[in-house]
Amino acid sequence: QQPVQSPQAVILREGEDAVINCSSSKALYSVHWYRQKHGEAPVFLMILLKGGEQKGHDKISASFNEKKQQSSLYLTASQLSYSGTYFCGTGGNNNDMRFGAGTRLTVKP
Amino acid sequence: DSGVTQTPKHLITATGQRVTLRCSPRSGDLSVYWYQQSLDQGLQFLIQYYNGEERAKGNILERFSAQQFPDLHSELNLSSLELGDSALYFCASSVGGTIGTGELFFGEGSRLTVL
């Protein structure tokens, strides 16, 4: 029931782009994206809701394919501050919120 | 500062013992979620409460229990502790009871070490 994220890790140079994918085996009501820096709490980035509504970050975009039960997070022109572990969380109709194993993103100067 | 308060921040105890972790949600939030994060691992969903009632249950062990009180704070009780229970325990809160309607605000976590 836990969503699957890919890649597990990615290393970028400042200014490069990255895509993080999240897929689920069950029907989704929503997809959440969070970023966690080492030793800190996860911080909200974005919610994508079934039906197309999207709420979130103005420098990061995402897509949600309801039919395929997949979401992708797009990080463009990455900055050093983007480094961290990105988690997707999927909400089904039974109201739990399960997170993927995370994608560790490292942005180097 | 997310507005979610967790205590204690750090806790060291021995196997077989029992501990209680406490969470105060953001003002106005009715839902509380508990997650377990082992070293460099993902967030494992344990349980959710909404306005005092259990709303959703995840991979919570029988040795663990939780509740949400009338003032909306929540406690996670861990008993008969094992070495494998060592982890960072996060509490998160949200306004509504239906996931997907709003973001989760995470506390700083309680780091439990079982020796």
Side-chain angles (χ1 to χ4, degrees):
Chain A
Q1 288 189 336
Q2 187 177 8
V4 177
Q5 287 186 234
S6 63
Q8 289 184 325
V10 60
I11 299 175
L12 299 174
R13 294 286 180 188
E14 263 187 300
E16 292 182 340
D17 301 339
V19 179
I20 301 173
N21 301 302
C22 175
S23 65
S24 174
S25 60
K26 65 173 189 176
L28 299 178
Y29 175 81
S30 65
V31 177
H32 293 221
W33 286 96
Y34 290 78
R35 176 170 62 210
Q36 183 180 30
K37 294 189 180 283
H38 185 69
E40 299 180 7
V43 174
F44 167 78
L45 293 175
M46 182 164 296
I47 293 177
L48 300 108
L49 303 177
K50 193 174 179 179
E53 185 181 356
Q54 175 177 304
K55 311 180 201 178
H57 203 286
D58 59 358
K59 293 188 177 181
I60 296 172
S61 63
S63 64
F64 179 18
N65 187 322
E66 298 165 32
K67 282 189 177 179
K68 292 186 176 180
Q69 294 155 197
Q70 294 175 344
S71 177
S72 293
L73 186 71
Y74 304 97
L75 305 165
T76 56
S78 59
Q79 305 169 15
L80 294 176
S81 62
Y82 284 11
S83 292
T85 301
Y86 289 77
F87 292 100
C88 74
T90 52
N93 58 7
N94 57 348
N95 212 51
D96 60 350
M97 168 65 82
R98 296 177 186 264
F99 287 91
T103 295
R104 182 168 294 183
L105 178 74
T106 304
V107 181
K108 295 187 173 181
Chain B
D1 183 4
S2 67
V4 177
T5 304
Q6 287 188 247
T7 57
K9 286 187 167 38
H10 301 275
L11 189 56
I12 300 173
T13 189
T15 54
Q17 295 298 304
R18 172 191 170 95
V19 299
T20 298
L21 308 180
R22 181 188 170 102
C23 169
S24 294
R26 283 190 331 153
S27 177
D29 284 359
L30 299 178
S31 273
V32 169
Y33 299 77
W34 285 98
Y35 289 90
Q36 179 193 54
Q37 187 174 41
S38 300
L39 189 63
D40 291 330
Q41 297 296 311
L43 296 154
Q44 296 297 318
F45 171 65
L46 296 178
I47 200 163
Q48 180 216 358
Y49 281 86
Y50 175 73
N51 204 20
E53 294 188 1
E54 182 182 306
R55 181 62 71 96
K57 209 165 188 176
N59 304 322
I60 187 166
L61 299 172
E62 286 190 9
R63 300 183 285 108
F64 296 180
S65 65
Q67 60 183 128
Q68 186 179 29
F69 295 86
D71 67 352
L72 301 177
H73 91 271
S74 177
E75 292 181 358
L76 178 67
N77 300 297
L78 315 174
S79 61
S80 301
L81 286 168
E82 302 175 358
L83 295 178
D85 297 328
S86 295
L88 191 53
Y89 291 84
F90 283 109
C91 164
S93 72
S94 67
V95 172
T98 303
I99 199 63
T101 58
E103 66 185 275
L104 298 184
F105 294 87
F106 282 83
E108 296 297 313
S110 291
R111 183 171 295 281
L112 173 67
T113 302
V114 182
L115 301 175

